[in-house]
Amino acid sequence: MDQRRRDLLCIMELEFAAIDLNLFLDTHPEDQRALADYNAVSQELMRAKMAFESRYGPIMNFGCGISHGTWRWVEEPWPWELCFNREE
Amino acid sequence: MWIYEKKLEYPIRVSYTNPRLAKEVITQYGGPDGELAASLRYLTQRYTMPIPQAKAVLTDIGTEELAHMEIVAALVYNLIKHASVDEIKAAGLDDYYADHDRALYFVNAAGAPWVASYIQSKGDPIADLHEDLAAEQKARATYEYLIQLSDDPDVTDALRFLREREVVHFQRFGETLNLVHEWMDSKNVF
Ligand SMILES: [Fe+2]
């Protein structure tokens, strides 16, 4: 697997943790431990996304990320064009 | 407002062209218990939820279902993108091909198009949340049938992830229903 896929996998793992904690917090908004976990994961996720974006272009649109040099948002691959097969 | 993220929620692997499996999996794109129905159901029910936690749960699960719709679409896309017309005919996907080529369209496994009557928005939070609990169980059951039908371990891996999320959503909707009941008891709403 190439470095770009590995970096993206790391973001996917962090964001999945954030999604699951977010849903849990929606019905347990007073849970301080889950909230601390959510905030920690979110900070790590933001850092990982910024590092990814500086190498490969924006991962989010509409002002949620910066594009260096040229408008790299239009660059392929789009998510459905990217498989994570073991040999790739 | 929604922001697009240029990534899937879960990494997919597709081992080989398999229009037969695509024909089954597409039901979770546009079928009665699929991800389009799920996302639209929750995102339209949220407006009349009486308590803030329920508005948050329906917004967030509805949004996650959009991400699941995208995973299912990516699976179908990759299963048929290199399929020859002969392979498509052999898989029984020729009727679909006549109208859509290898494009994505919202149909169930038998080719019937998505209809709004798959979902309801009742305005009664107890009725709506019970529908949502049932919807999660039906989606879970569909993923189990698809796992039985799958002959591609990599596709099965993604189907397992999606099945697991339905179990989590069911859990969160159950907690939401309890919170709405507590709110009603405190307000003496009948
Ligand atoms: Fe779900």
Side-chain angles (χ1 to χ4, degrees):
Chain A
M1 205 181 289
D2 57 33
Q3 189 61 43
R4 188 180 181 281
R5 280 189 178 80
R6 277 201 295 274
D7 293 348
L8 200 54
L9 265 184
C10 169
I11 288 175
M12 285 164 143
E13 279 174 20
L14 287 169
E15 188 158 330
F16 178 68
I19 291 169
D20 206 41
L21 285 161
N22 187 148
L23 295 189
F24 178 83
L25 282 161
D26 285 349
T27 52
H28 305 78
E30 318 287 333
D31 191 309
Q32 285 300 318
R33 237 188 76 192
L35 181 60
D37 286 347
Y38 179 83
N39 288 338
V41 166
S42 299
Q43 281 206 337
E44 214 184 319
L45 177 61
M46 280 189 272
R47 270 199 297 272
K49 280 182 173 169
M50 272 174 71
F52 184 93
E53 286 187 326
S54 67
R55 293 183 72 165
Y56 311 108
I59 194 169
M60 292 161 77
N61 61 359
F62 294 168
C64 294
I66 280 171
S67 189
H68 299 273
T70 55
W71 180 236
R72 299 190 65 185
W73 175 252
V74 296
E75 288 177 14
E76 292 177 330
W78 288 84
W80 58 93
E81 298 165 338
L82 194 66
C83 283
F84 288 78
N85 291 354
R86 289 170 194 90
E87 66 274 16
E88 278 179 88
Chain B
M1 179 79 215
W2 273 267
I3 305 297
Y4 187 69
E5 288 198 54
K6 210 170 172 179
K7 64 177 213 15
L8 297 180
E9 187 190 356
Y10 184 80
I12 59 154
R13 301 189 301 266
V14 174
S15 313
Y16 47 89
T17 296
N18 192 340
R20 200 273 311 164
L21 185 53
K23 187 179 187 296
E24 319 298 347
V25 170
I26 203 168
T27 201
Q28 282 305 88
Y29 193 57
D33 306 312
E35 303 292 355
L36 178 70
S39 52
L40 296 185
R41 174 187 298 111
Y42 307 147
L43 291 176
T44 204
Q45 286 180 353
R46 66 188 177 136
Y47 296 95
T48 42
M49 282 292 145
I51 58 169
Q53 298 97 318
K55 292 170 199 172
V57 164
L58 284 166
T59 299
D60 292 340
I61 296 184
T63 301
E64 190 185 356
E65 306 290 19
L66 288 172
H68 296 170
M69 187 174 85
E70 187 184 30
I71 293 172
V72 173
L75 289 172
V76 173
Y77 169 76
N78 283 286
L79 285 168
I80 59 175
K81 68 178 174 186
H82 294 314
S84 69
V85 172
D86 281 342
E87 286 172 321
I88 283 170
K89 279 161 83 173
L93 206 59
D94 40 339
D95 292 352
Y96 181 90
Y97 182 83
D99 286 321
H100 311 293
D101 194 317
R102 295 171 190 81
L104 272 287
Y105 190 63
F106 295 105
V107 293
N108 71 5
W114 191 88
V115 286
S117 54
Y118 286 158
I119 66 171
Q120 175 60 297
S121 189
K122 200 68 193 167
D124 179 305
I126 303 298
D128 280 345
L129 286 166
H130 275 280
E131 170 173 332
D132 303 342
L133 287 159
E136 294 296 334
Q137 290 300 336
K138 289 187 280 185
R140 175 196 53 77
T142 308
Y143 281 118
E144 287 171 10
Y145 303 152
L146 290 174
I147 287 164
Q148 290 165 20
L149 291 165
S150 172
D151 50 8
D152 181 335
D154 287 338
V155 174
T156 301
D157 176 69
L159 295 172
R160 283 217 179 90
F161 169 80
L162 293 165
R163 178 199 172 279
E164 195 56 42
R165 296 310 293 158
E166 310 303 4
V167 176
V168 172
H169 292 171
F170 179 80
Q171 176 70 28
R172 300 285 93 89
F173 281 132
E175 292 157 0
T176 308
L177 181 62
N178 288 340
L179 290 168
V180 170
H181 274 302
E182 283 170 25
W183 173 83
M184 287 178 130
D185 290 344
S186 75
K187 292 257 166 198
N188 276 324
V189 179
F190 294 101

